[in-house]
Amino acid sequence: SSGINAEYGDAEFGESPAMEKIRRGGKDKFYVCAFVNFQHGVGEDKVSPPYTEETVDMRFALFKQCVDEVNKQNKRFRAGEDTHQAGINFFCDLTDEERRPYSNGLVMPDE
């Protein structure tokens, strides 16, 4: 037995051409694995547009920058230099412009 449920044994698992590009060209195996897990984990909470071959490199770079910032913050926290921890969330692959509506306070709709 392969350890895979029979119902999944013949399933075809594919990936988008954009993700294939990252996986095949990625030198940063840690980031690639984390990026794939991020995509799976954010699921319905994902707010960035779907990845395309034209945008996946940018999204991956944004994600890597976010991971590095989270790791730096958590290192400061563990050293007692700061009071809060950080984590990966669905904002990690957004540009500043895309993130702005979520981070600049409450905006009341026009009445």
Side-chain angles (χ1 to χ4, degrees), residues 78-110:
R78 287 189 301 275
E81 299 168 1
D82 214 326
T83 59
H84 71 280
Q85 294 184 44
I88 303 299
N89 60 37
F90 60 88
F91 296 117
C92 281
D93 64 345
L94 298 180
T95 64
D96 289 341
E97 184 70 22
E98 291 168 331
R99 196 178 310 117
R100 189 167 290 119
Y102 300 96
S103 61
N104 283 344
L106 178 63
V107 177
M108 297 301 291
D110 294 335

Side-chain angles (χ1 to χ4, degrees), residues 13-71:
F13 294 100
E15 62 188 354
S16 71
M19 285 305 296
E20 181 180 8
K21 179 181 178 185
I22 287 291
R23 187 178 54 78
R24 292 194 189 284
K27 297 174 187 166
D28 304 309
K29 298 293 185 190
F30 165 77
Y31 291 109
V32 172
C33 183
F35 192 54
V36 170
N37 283 328
F38 167 75
Q39 290 305 304
H40 176 72
V42 295
E44 294 176 3
D45 291 335
K46 186 167 174 41
V47 294
S48 63
Y51 296 163
T52 65
E53 287 190 59
E54 293 78 29
T55 64
V56 70
D57 289 332
M58 175 201 58
R59 299 287 176 195
F60 186 53
L62 290 167
F63 177 78
K64 290 191 320 183
Q65 180 182 356
C66 179
V67 169
D68 290 344
E69 290 172 7
V70 165
N71 286 335

